[in-house]
Amino acid sequence: MSATREPIGVIGTGYVGLVTAAGFAELGSDVWCVDIDAAKIERLRRGEVPIYEPGLEELLARNAARLHFSTDLAGALEHARLLFVAVGTPPTHSGDADLTAVNAVVDEMPGSERHALVMKSTVPCGTGATIQRVLRERGKQAMAYVSCPEFLKEGSAVNDFRHPDRVVVGDTGGWAGDAVVELYAPLSAALVRTDVASAEMIKLASNAFLATKISFINEIANVCEETGADVIEVGRGVGLDDRIGSKFLQAGIGYGGSCFTKDVSALKLLAANSGYHFQLLNAVTEVNELQKRRVVSKLQRHIGDLAGKRVGLLGLAFKPETDDMRGASSLVLAARLLAEGAVVSAYDPVAEQEARELMPELCYCDSAFETVNDADAVVLVTEWKELRELDWSKVAPLMRGDLVIDGRNALDPQAIRAAGLTYEGIGRR
Ligand SMILES: NC(=O)c1ccc[n+]([C@@H]2O[C@H](COP(=O)([O-])OP(=O)(O)OC[C@H]3O[C@@H](n4cnc5c(N)ncnc54)[C@H](O)[C@@H]3O)[C@@H](O)[C@H]2O)c1
């Protein structure tokens, strides 16, 4: 790759910032990464990767010479015109997006005409306009502003950077938007060049739609359970319709993660704050919360009162191939089981350390087999490959009971039944 590519700054070295930094470094840019977390920056300087994301370690190592890590913005400001912002925007207590970190970055901006803020963090529609107004009020209006929302998926983020479905660039048509478009050009992705507000809304609407699809198929699964249909067959038949598509039509115990819940809530409240009642998203959220809890009633239906019963949770991360526990369905499920008096053993191939911090009360195990030992029931929570491929003939003799709840419809019911166990999926016959 050419070494003459535009150098960039990346502020925030979390899941989005690190992948963006490593991805652009691979394309030939020098990347100046900044984070307020000094321990994280120290680890990155030593060549350690603070998160689990397949392929990221190799990508960072391969491009180490082009990646510069600091807690100080000065290097990024000196070397780069484009400053990508990838700091967190978690929900506040009220459910709105918390823009404290974004605002802290804006406060540090020099406002020179040489620089542009490129917003990768997911922010409510209108944030770009507010930031530009604030910059104007501070006499820093010369600084350009671009919205460039991120769509990567944890677990396949490196591949998503290289092969994005689309690149969205929202600006007023100046040099900075052109420079961002140029940076992404080698990826040959579909480009949506639009205004800032529309770019911001594309991100929120995309996540809200995906969450809606999940809650929709989960409700269909629940109706399947009442009517004898099989949601796997239904999802396949529905998904083959080109207008609908097959992705995100897999029923399960609800979506988690750092993005869907907060972005659905942020969009709902953004609408409410603007005077519009976004009814559909209320239902999407409620269905998802109830879905996480349905496993508890399934357990009770099969094994009665859960007090003193041992339940093994297989997988804890919010999805496979990540160590991210933010918003994981396992958090709600485990809390409900503990509240019912169950003893909860748990295993996750990667996320144990993160899970221990959030749920110290669980009995953590080193393997799936240890987790099922003496269990009255086991629940597949996260469909890691090693859990999908578990040898159920070895599981059965270890368990005290015989119930297997497949919270992701990812297991083979025949293999489980052949091992003498009782299989129950979500909306499956
Ligand atoms: N994680 C995803 O899958 C994903 C996907 C698309 C979009 N997003 C959005 O991207 C943004 C970042 O998400 P993430 O998951 O990477 O977050 P993260 O929590 O993993 O990382 C955020 C980083 O920003 C740092 N930070 C906070 N304040 C800072 C400041 N003032 N200066 C410098 N660094 C600062 C934190 O220390 C942390 O390292 C969010 O708005 C999120 O909604 C996330």
Side-chain angles (χ1 to χ4, degrees), residues 4-5 51 64 69 80 98 119 130-131 155 185 215 303 331 352 374 428:
T4 57
R5 297 255 307 159
I51 53 170
F69 296 102
D98 183 349
M119 190 57 66
T130 305
I131 291 175
S215 280
I303 60 175
L331 296 171
E352 180 182 327
D374 258 350
R428 281 177 105 168

Side-chain angles (χ1 to χ4, degrees), residues 11-17 34-37 40 51 85-90 100-102 104-105 108 120-123 150-154 203 207 258-259 262-263 318 324 326:
I11 307 171
T13 58
Y15 290 88
V16 169
V34 185
D35 203 292
I36 48 168
D37 185 338
K40 192 182 261 189
I51 53 170
V85 181
V87 299
T89 49
T100 307
V102 168
V105 173
E108 287 195 70
K120 279 235 147 275
S121 296
T122 304
V123 293
E150 181 54 58
F151 300 94
L152 62 73
K153 303 177 288 297
E154 285 175 27
K203 173 63 192 176
N207 272 2
S258 69
C259 290
K262 87 173 169 65
D263 292 349
F318 92 89
D324 200 345
R326 291 179 289 186

Side-chain angles (χ1 to χ4, degrees), residues 222-242:
N222 299 343
V223 179
C224 284
E225 287 181 5
E226 302 300 323
T227 55
D230 186 321
V231 77
I232 301 240
E233 299 298 309
V234 175
R236 195 159 65 92
V238 170
L240 282 168
D241 187 324
D242 236 11

Side-chain angles (χ1 to χ4, degrees), residues 8-236:
I8 61 165
V10 173
I11 307 171
T13 58
Y15 290 88
V16 169
L18 259 191
V19 172
T20 303
F24 279 127
E26 175 96 336
L27 292 177
S29 290
D30 260 285
V31 185
W32 303 83
C33 304
V34 185
D35 203 292
I36 48 168
D37 185 338
K40 192 182 261 189
I41 289 295
E42 213 27 68
R43 290 185 66 186
L44 286 163
R45 278 187 175 151
R46 285 199 300 265
E48 290 176 28
V49 184
I51 53 170
Y52 178 84
E53 184 60 48
L56 182 59
E57 193 170 350
E58 296 82 344
L59 194 63
L60 286 167
R62 204 162 51 236
N63 297 287
R66 279 193 285 271
L67 288 158
H68 316 275
F69 296 102
S70 176
T71 51
D72 186 0
L73 206 56
L77 290 173
E78 182 188 340
H79 296 281
R81 299 189 299 168
L82 301 177
L83 304 164
F84 284 79
V85 181
V87 299
T89 49
T92 59
H93 290 303
S94 61
D96 295 278
D98 183 349
L99 297 178
T100 307
V102 168
N103 292 334
V105 173
V106 172
D107 287 345
E108 287 195 70
M109 287 300 120
S112 71
E113 61 184 3
R114 193 173 84 82
H115 292 113
L117 263 187
V118 185
M119 190 57 66
K120 279 235 147 275
S121 296
T122 304
V123 293
C125 183
T127 304
T130 305
I131 291 175
Q132 285 170 289
R133 178 176 51 73
V134 167
L135 290 173
R136 265 197 312 279
E137 285 167 3
R138 295 175 182 172
K140 297 178 174 178
Q141 62 276 11
M143 184 168 202
Y145 186 90
V146 180
S147 169
C148 180
E150 181 54 58
F151 300 94
L152 62 73
K153 303 177 288 297
E154 285 175 27
S156 61
V158 169
N159 190 52
D160 293 343
F161 176 88
R162 290 186 179 131
H163 308 286
D165 291 338
R166 76 298 210 185
V167 169
V168 175
V169 177
D171 71 326
T172 45
W175 69 267
D178 293 345
V180 173
V181 170
E182 187 63 29
L183 263 184
Y184 276 103
L187 302 179
S188 305
L191 173 69
V192 181
R193 184 91 185 253
T194 182
D195 59 279
V196 171
S198 301
E200 292 167 339
M201 189 57 97
I202 287 169
K203 173 63 192 176
L204 293 176
S206 298
N207 272 2
F209 188 76
L210 292 172
T212 303
K213 238 179 148 182
I214 296 172
S215 280
F216 179 82
I217 198 67
N218 281 338
E219 289 228 275
I220 293 290
N222 299 343
V223 179
C224 284
E225 287 181 5
E226 302 300 323
T227 55
D230 186 321
V231 77
I232 301 240
E233 299 298 309
V234 175
R236 195 159 65 92

Side-chain angles (χ1 to χ4, degrees), residues 408-419:
R408 298 295 175 187
N409 284 352
L411 304 175
D412 177 3
Q414 276 181 355
I416 290 170
R417 289 185 184 125

